[in-house]
Amino acid sequence: MHNTLSYDQLLPRKLVHKWSPEQILLTDCMKTGEDEFYLGAILPRTHVLYCEDYLNSREADIQCLVEVCRQACFVTAHRYYDVPVRTPSFQFLFQKLRAHIQRVVPVLRSAEAPVSDPVELMVKCCVKNKRKRGRDYSGLEWAFTVFDTAGGEPIATIDIVQVWIEKDLWLKYRDIMRRDRELPVKNKLPTPAASDVSPQRVKRQDKRNILIHRARKEGDGFVAELEADARHPGFFDHAIDHIYAMVQLEASRQFAFFILTENQGYTADDYVITGCVSEYLSVAEFDVPVMLTGRKIEYSDHIEIPINMIQQSRNVSKFTLTLTKTRISNENSRTH
């Protein structure tokens, strides 16, 4: 199947809901059966988030692989389930995510190679459930299996549930939502100050990429605040009126590493996130504090960190992240 997919150019920007070409990860899509598809993807060698430390990156983490599948949701919905690509468009809403990382993808292939090769992925996509509003599709449940084309081995399984509504109707809902929350109809987009959290504690390099602020231990658990800068080109490729699911996932990822490294015996670089189960319950506003609460549960071979996001006493989302100890060495990296 890999040989029939093209990796020569990126898919159109509108098809993957991206404005900037460097944010597009998919290269091809083909239908192979009833509700079954294959897609080609290339992991970025440099990226403000996914390959932040581009000279020393060890692996492409869960955030990047979920983003590949999220873009695949848009492509399959538009091409095969009659969701038009037009303006005004449709607002897609993430509802559920279940991800299991079976093998970490090394970005640097060998110690001798002066430049890392691009990592090509093959993504198998099966649509499991379909929702309709009247005669039209209004939501899908996707099951993805991600393969590294170099070895043909499965890297991850990722399940996503999304729904969508016409953009005009979404804007009406948002006006009602803002009024019910006693907020101005026009969304205020604050510019957060630099985070007080050390990048090393959350497995990041650049302080400007840190989403959690005032993170601390309280009693038997931990708390933090999510502050997102709508100007950030990595988190917000284009204008949006809420803190969307991928930003919440990244904030949870960072918070999980912060909780892990409270104990000086744990180092963020020694762990990867190998699992995520999340549910998105309510729209998160930019101009109201979002609180994160979490705790650490240790098992013999992994650590689980349940995290809740709360805004105005509303449950925004909930996550359970699995962290596994691993070291990715250049000697163990697969060479393309």
Side-chain angles (χ1 to χ4, degrees):
M1 185 59 65
H2 167 240
N3 294 333
T4 61
L5 289 168
S6 172
Y7 294 85
D8 290 338
Q9 62 185 11
L10 301 174
L11 290 180
R13 294 181 300 168
K14 288 186 177 180
L15 200 59
V16 296
H17 295 198
K18 291 293 183 183
W19 286 7
S20 301
E22 69 270 17
Q23 299 283 348
I24 301 171
L25 305 179
L26 297 180
T27 62
D28 198 7
C29 181
M30 58 188 300
K31 184 173 183 178
T32 54
E34 183 69 23
D35 298 322
E36 181 182 277
F37 315 92
Y38 279 82
L39 300 99
I42 298 181
L43 296 184
R45 295 194 297 179
T46 64
H47 191 281
V48 68
L49 293 176
Y50 309 140
C51 301
E52 191 185 26
D53 183 9
Y54 53 85
L55 292 181
N56 300 299
S57 292
R58 290 188 176 89
E59 75 273 345
D61 65 13
I62 189 172
Q63 181 85 350
C64 188
L65 298 178
V66 172
E67 176 61 20
V68 166
C69 296
R70 189 180 79 102
Q71 292 186 16
C73 292
F74 301 143
V75 173
T76 52
H78 287 308
R79 282 193 170 176
Y80 306 110
Y81 294 94
D82 303 323
V83 183
V85 181
R86 59 173 171 78
T87 302
S89 58
F90 287 74
Q91 178 66 51
F92 279 67
L93 298 170
F94 219 123
Q95 290 194 324
K96 293 182 180 180
L97 168 67
R98 181 181 293 271
H100 174 63
I101 310 302
Q102 296 161 254
R103 184 172 63 83
V104 176
V105 188
V107 174
L108 298 182
R109 292 311 196 188
S110 70
E112 294 76 23
V115 179
S116 60
D117 293 334
V119 178
E120 295 180 353
L121 302 180
M122 180 178 69
V123 182
K124 181 180 179 181
C125 167
C126 297
V127 172
K128 298 296 186 182
N129 289 302
K130 293 172 274 192
R131 302 183 192 178
K132 282 191 171 183
R133 186 182 298 114
R135 300 172 61 182
D136 299 325
Y137 289 111
S138 61
L140 296 173
E141 180 178 342
W142 292 264
F144 297 99
T145 306
V146 183
F147 300 87
D148 182 350
T149 59
E153 301 174 8
I155 295 168
T157 56
I158 297 173
D159 298 336
I160 295 175
V161 178
Q162 290 202 71
V163 297
W164 55 83
I165 60 174
E166 291 187 6
K167 200 59 172 283
D168 290 342
L169 185 57
W170 166 253
L171 294 176
K172 292 178 182 178
Y173 286 162
R174 286 293 285 135
D175 287 348
I176 295 170
M177 203 179 296
R178 298 275 298 177
R179 286 197 297 269
D180 288 347
R181 295 172 181 178
E182 299 182 346
L183 299 171
V185 172
K186 185 172 177 57
N187 203 331
K188 297 178 181 178
L189 301 178
T191 302
S195 176
D196 54 357
V197 174
S198 164
Q200 288 70 35
R201 286 203 61 176
V202 297
K203 208 171 182 179
R204 284 296 176 211
Q205 298 289 324
D206 192 334
K207 204 173 187 69
R208 294 169 294 183
N209 292 337
I210 300 178
L211 287 163
I212 59 171
H213 295 239
R214 292 170 285 280
R216 59 200 181 273
K217 192 174 191 303
E218 283 193 358
D220 295 332
F222 295 81
V223 297
E225 297 176 31
L226 189 164
E227 291 190 4
D229 189 341
R231 304 169 305 164
H232 193 293
F235 293 125
F236 300 99
D237 170 72
H238 54 274
I240 192 168
D241 68 349
H242 63 283
I243 303 173
Y244 71 112
M246 292 302 291
V247 175
Q248 295 180 39
L249 174 60
E250 174 61 19
S252 295
R253 190 198 73 84
Q254 293 179 16
F255 191 39
F257 281 116
F258 180 88
I259 293 172
L260 174 77
T261 54
E262 176 68 16
N263 184 323
Q264 294 184 355
Y266 294 95
T267 303
D269 282 341
D270 290 343
Y271 283 79
V272 292
I273 292 180
T274 55
C276 174
V277 178
S278 59
E279 190 173 359
Y280 302 90
L281 306 169
S282 178
V283 175
E285 307 286 358
F286 277 102
D287 49 353
V288 181
V290 180
M291 300 301 299
L292 291 80
T293 63
R295 57 193 176 92
K296 181 172 67 174
I297 306 172
E298 297 193 51
Y299 295 91
S300 59
D301 60 345
H302 69 278
I303 294 170
E304 283 190 2
I305 299 184
I307 295 171
N308 289 321
M309 288 193 185
I310 301 168
Q311 187 176 61
Q312 291 181 318
S313 301
R314 286 180 292 104
N315 289 321
V316 170
S317 53
K318 56 184 180 180
F319 297 80
T320 299
L321 297 177
T322 302
L323 286 78
T324 304
K325 190 170 185 178
T326 183
R327 278 196 176 274
I328 304 300
S329 65
N330 287 332
E331 289 75 13
N332 293 333
S333 298
R334 184 182 301 278
T335 303
H336 273 219

